């Protein structure tokens, strides 16, 4: 192996374990050492347990030695977002107001990875309650973007995005309710897959909430899905299990019909460099034989305003139940955003909740004529690390999620794959959206884009002295 062990893909590791060229223990040690070297800068992890990781790696090594691996992910290092329960590990949910207690059981995604023999090298950080597209947290140190550590990795799967870009092993598990996998994937230049609602069982389930893989390659995301999509009765919103051939990624795009969405209908103005990168991707699909047609906005200001009312009230009720000393520990930006919830009427909250159905129906109808839809992930590239959002304004908290939010509410699969770089060298994500439940199709189109796009830049190297001099 010529590439550093921490940077090898999950598919490469499985082949190396099978041949005996590498062992899970040596790979785990290399990943842990790399994490230790980068964490003083990136602050992407929480509850790293070297002893646990090495114990899991040793058990995996024995299984491979006897030709009895649990799965193709046996011995593969993974990180899990800290809001995905793993037994024995507290979940601060990114918030200093959380009362810490050890989780009694693995949540479904963690259970599937443990059953598959994956090695848990760390949990990754998130902002307060997952309510920000940022690495800013009242509990964790400020997470930073490996491409430029003055900038934000995005969120709420902040640590997962940074960890994937920095090479903390090949597989990272995030969650997404409005863009929380795809936004950090876009700003960190990695693959971030939001599957159809219920494709990966999760606990607790909630409208729009999914778990999904964040990786450096589409093949690794598909490999993860082969394990994560297995059934779990604890998620009453989960889909019936299906025999999906997740590794069948090669697909001819000729004759497929793509919609191109460049106007979200509301939110931040689209950065011209982002628009150009997404338009170039559409032209590449067209040159490969696909039919590409522009489509207009599929969501409205009224829809997002309604969701804002509903989410503020939900958070206000949680916040109001806390004693004052705990309320004071919540991130000030979040407190300011929540505060308006106390003045909302029952009618406003009900009408706000009804916008979930309106947004779902609109998104499904707009996408139905097409096999897939292409769009930006975010209107802009990465923003300053210290900000809670690109605008940093709690009165306008969702302007940057206009391209991602609809597909959570519509339950459609969507993925972020790097489309290129802006003039400053920052990644730009291309979003590919499929019809409900066509998860494999979205992965296939993402794989097709990997083959169509220009050569990518090398993965970033974290410079500790440079960051310390800017502190």
């Amino acid at each position: 192996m010529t590439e550093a062990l921490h940077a090898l893909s999950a598919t490469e590791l499985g082949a190396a374990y099978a041949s005996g060229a590498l062992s899970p223990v040596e790979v785990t040690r290399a990943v842990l050492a790399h994490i230790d070297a980068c964490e003083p800068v990136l602050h992407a992890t929480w509850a790293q347990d070297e002893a646990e990781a090495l114990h899991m790696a040793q058990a995996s090594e024995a299984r491979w030695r006897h030709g009895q691996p649990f799965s193709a992910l046996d011995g593969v290092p993974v990180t899990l977002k800290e809001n995905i329960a793993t037994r024995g590990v507290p979940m601060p949910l990114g918030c200093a107001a959380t009362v810490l207690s050890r989780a009694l059981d693995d949540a479904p995604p963690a259970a599937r990875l443990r059953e598959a023999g994956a090695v848990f090298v760390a949990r990754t950080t998130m902002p307060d309650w997952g309510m920000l597209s940022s690495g800013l947290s009242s509990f964790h140190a400020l997470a930073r973007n490996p491409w430029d550590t003055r900038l934000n990795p995005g969120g709420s799967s902040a640590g997962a995005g940074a960890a994937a870009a920095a090479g903390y092993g090949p597989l990272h598990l995030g969650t997404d309710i409005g863009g929380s996998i795809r936004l950090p994937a876009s700003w960190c230049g990695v693959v971030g897959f939001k599957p159809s609602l219920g494709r990966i069982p999760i606990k607790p389930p909630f409208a729009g909430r999914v778990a999904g893989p964040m990786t450096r390659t589409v093949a690794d995301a598909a490999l993860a899905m082969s394990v994560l999509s297995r059934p779990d009765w604890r998620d009453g919103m989960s889909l019936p299990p299906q025999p999906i051939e997740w590794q069948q990624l090669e697909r001819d795009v000729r004759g497929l019909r793509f919609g191109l969405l460049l106007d979200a209908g509301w939110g931040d103005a689209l950065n011209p460099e982002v628009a150009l990168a997404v338009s170039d991707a559409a032209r590449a699909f067209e040159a490969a034989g696909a039919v590409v047609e522009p489509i207009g906005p599929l969501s409205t200001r009224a829809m997002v305003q309604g969701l804002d009312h509903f989410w503020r009230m939900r958070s206000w009720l949680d916040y109001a139940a806390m004693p004052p000393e705990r309320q004071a520990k919540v991130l000030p930006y979040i407190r300011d955003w929540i505060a308006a919830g106390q003045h909302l009427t029952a009618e406003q909250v009900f009408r706000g909740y009804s916008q979930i159905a309106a947004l779902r129906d609109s998104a499904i109808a707009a996408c139905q004529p097409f096999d897939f839809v292409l769009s930006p992930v975010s209107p802009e590239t990465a923003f300053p690390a210290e900000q809670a959002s690109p605008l940093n304004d709690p009165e306008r908290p969702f302007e940057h999620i206009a391209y991602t939010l609809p597909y959570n509410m519509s339950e459609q699969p969507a993925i972020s794959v790097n489309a290129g770089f802006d003039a400053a060298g920052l990644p730009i994500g291309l979003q590919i959206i499929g019809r409900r439940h066509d998860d494999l199709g979205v992965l296939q189109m993402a794989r097709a884009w990997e083959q169509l796009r220009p050569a990518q830049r090398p993965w970033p190297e974290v410079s500790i002295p440079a960051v310390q001099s800017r502190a």
Side-chain angles (χ1 to χ4, degrees), residues 59-60 62-71 74:
S60 174
R63 290 191 293 272
W64 280 106
R65 189 183 305 120
H66 291 93
Q68 297 177 328
F70 286 160
S71 76
D74 206 328

Side-chain angles (χ1 to χ4, degrees), residues 175-261:
T175 61
D176 191 317
I177 199 171
S180 290
I181 286 172
R182 289 157 290 158
L183 288 164
S186 174
W187 292 326
C188 292
V190 301
V191 174
F193 182 45
K194 183 206 81 68
S196 299
L197 183 75
R199 180 66 69 198
I200 297 176
I202 194 169
K203 183 182 178 182
F206 189 81
R209 183 175 189 244
V210 301
M214 301 176 71
T215 61
R216 287 182 167 186
T217 68
V218 174
D220 275 3
L223 184 61
M225 289 301 297
S226 69
V227 167
L228 293 167
S229 61
R230 293 171 185 169
D232 194 300
W233 66 268
R234 293 175 290 172
D235 182 353
M237 299 173 71
S238 60
L239 297 173
Q242 290 180 256
I244 297 173
E245 296 294 333
W246 292 106
Q247 273 70 61
Q248 297 298 319
L249 293 176
E250 302 305 318
R251 181 173 173 183
D252 194 338
V253 304
R254 285 179 293 182
L256 293 177
R257 192 177 178 197
F258 285 77
L260 175 61
L261 175 66

Side-chain angles (χ1 to χ4, degrees), residues 139 413 425:
F139 182 87

Side-chain angles (χ1 to χ4, degrees), residues 64-287:
W64 280 106
R65 189 183 305 120
H66 291 93
Q68 297 177 328
F70 286 160
S71 76
L73 288 182
D74 206 328
V76 172
V78 303
T79 72
L80 302 97
K81 188 176 178 180
E82 53 118 326
N83 66 341
I84 298 171
T86 51
R87 65 173 182 258
V89 179
M91 293 191 297
L93 304 179
C95 185
T98 302
V99 177
L100 296 180
S101 59
R102 296 182 183 275
L104 298 179
D105 298 295
D106 287 338
R112 300 295 84 75
L113 289 171
R114 195 185 298 273
E115 292 164 1
V119 175
F120 296 178
V121 292
R123 283 70 182 172
T124 50
T125 58
M126 59 186 282
D128 290 49
W129 299 329
M131 292 306 297
L132 299 177
S133 300
S134 171
L136 184 63
S137 162
S138 63
F139 182 87
H140 300 295
L142 179 63
R144 296 181 180 272
N145 191 319
W147 290 93
D148 184 336
T149 52
R150 297 167 297 185
L151 302 179
N152 211 294
S156 65
S157 303
Y168 288 16
L171 176 57
H172 311 273
L173 192 61
T175 61
D176 191 317
I177 199 171
S180 290
I181 286 172
R182 289 157 290 158
L183 288 164
S186 174
W187 292 326
C188 292
V190 301
V191 174
F193 182 45
K194 183 206 81 68
S196 299
L197 183 75
R199 180 66 69 198
I200 297 176
I202 194 169
K203 183 182 178 182
F206 189 81
R209 183 175 189 244
V210 301
M214 301 176 71
T215 61
R216 287 182 167 186
T217 68
V218 174
D220 275 3
L223 184 61
M225 289 301 297
S226 69
V227 167
L228 293 167
S229 61
R230 293 171 185 169
D232 194 300
W233 66 268
R234 293 175 290 172
D235 182 353
M237 299 173 71
S238 60
L239 297 173
Q242 290 180 256
I244 297 173
E245 296 294 333
W246 292 106
Q247 273 70 61
Q248 297 298 319
L249 293 176
E250 302 305 318
R251 181 173 173 183
D252 194 338
V253 304
R254 285 179 293 182
L256 293 177
R257 192 177 178 197
F258 285 77
L260 175 61
L261 175 66
L262 293 176
D263 181 1
W266 58 276
D268 290 340
L270 185 60
N271 180 305
E273 290 183 281
V274 175
L276 179 61
V278 173
S279 297
D280 284 347
R283 283 189 283 270
F285 276 106
E286 200 167 35

Side-chain angles (χ1 to χ4, degrees), residues 18 36 48-49 51 83 115 178 212 275-276 283 342 366 398 406 418 434 442:
D36 287 345
Q48 184 179 341
D49 187 337
N83 66 341
E115 292 164 1
L276 179 61
R283 283 189 283 270
Q342 64 184 308
F398 301 138
N418 195 50
V442 168

Side-chain angles (χ1 to χ4, degrees), residues 115-461:
E115 292 164 1
V119 175
F120 296 178
V121 292
R123 283 70 182 172
T124 50
T125 58
M126 59 186 282
D128 290 49
W129 299 329
M131 292 306 297
L132 299 177
S133 300
S134 171
L136 184 63
S137 162
S138 63
F139 182 87
H140 300 295
L142 179 63
R144 296 181 180 272
N145 191 319
W147 290 93
D148 184 336
T149 52
R150 297 167 297 185
L151 302 179
N152 211 294
S156 65
S157 303
Y168 288 16
L171 176 57
H172 311 273
L173 192 61
T175 61
D176 191 317
I177 199 171
S180 290
I181 286 172
R182 289 157 290 158
L183 288 164
S186 174
W187 292 326
C188 292
V190 301
V191 174
F193 182 45
K194 183 206 81 68
S196 299
L197 183 75
R199 180 66 69 198
I200 297 176
I202 194 169
K203 183 182 178 182
F206 189 81
R209 183 175 189 244
V210 301
M214 301 176 71
T215 61
R216 287 182 167 186
T217 68
V218 174
D220 275 3
L223 184 61
M225 289 301 297
S226 69
V227 167
L228 293 167
S229 61
R230 293 171 185 169
D232 194 300
W233 66 268
R234 293 175 290 172
D235 182 353
M237 299 173 71
S238 60
L239 297 173
Q242 290 180 256
I244 297 173
E245 296 294 333
W246 292 106
Q247 273 70 61
Q248 297 298 319
L249 293 176
E250 302 305 318
R251 181 173 173 183
D252 194 338
V253 304
R254 285 179 293 182
L256 293 177
R257 192 177 178 197
F258 285 77
L260 175 61
L261 175 66
L262 293 176
D263 181 1
W266 58 276
D268 290 340
L270 185 60
N271 180 305
E273 290 183 281
V274 175
L276 179 61
V278 173
S279 297
D280 284 347
R283 283 189 283 270
F285 276 106
E286 200 167 35
V291 177
V292 180
E293 303 173 25
I295 62 174
L298 51 80
S299 61
T300 66
R301 172 64 64 184
M303 291 173 181
V304 71
Q305 186 68 37
L307 263 70
D308 184 28
H309 285 167
F310 173 69
W311 283 346
R312 285 195 203 222
M313 177 56 78
R314 186 187 69 177
S315 296
W316 167 254
L317 293 174
D318 291 339
Y319 177 81
M322 294 179 178
E325 62 272 17
R326 287 177 56 201
Q327 290 180 346
K329 296 180 180 180
V330 177
L331 195 72
Y333 180 101
I334 296 291
R335 292 205 307 267
D336 291 343
W337 173 71
I338 287 171
Q342 64 184 308
H343 304 299
L344 294 171
T345 66
E347 179 182 358
Q348 286 176 305
V349 175
F350 176 80
R351 291 188 183 280
Y353 182 75
S354 71
Q355 291 302 313
I356 293 176
L359 183 50
R360 179 186 64 232
D361 292 347
S362 179
I364 290 172
C367 296
Q368 184 58 32
F370 304 99
D371 296 297
F372 302 96
V373 171
L374 306 175
S375 84
V377 177
S378 166
E380 57 269 299
T381 52
F383 56 95
E386 295 78 11
Q387 294 183 189
S389 69
L391 291 180
N392 208 33
D393 180 357
E395 291 307 310
R396 295 185 293 165
F398 301 138
E399 301 304 292
H400 58 288
I401 66 172
Y403 290 99
T404 53
L405 174 64
Y407 312 108
N408 292 83
M409 301 305 107
S410 66
E411 307 176 8
Q412 294 172 252
I415 197 167
S416 176
V417 191
N418 195 50
F421 301 86
D422 69 6
L426 299 175
I428 297 170
L430 168 70
Q431 183 171 219
I432 304 173
I433 305 106
R435 293 173 178 161
R436 291 175 72 229
H437 308 153
D438 187 16
D439 299 77
L440 180 58
V442 168
L443 288 167
Q444 288 171 334
M445 292 305 102
R447 174 59 186 147
W449 171 240
E450 282 185 327
Q451 296 169 311
L452 290 171
R453 70 186 176 185
Q456 296 293 282
R457 299 186 181 193
W459 291 104
E461 296 288 339

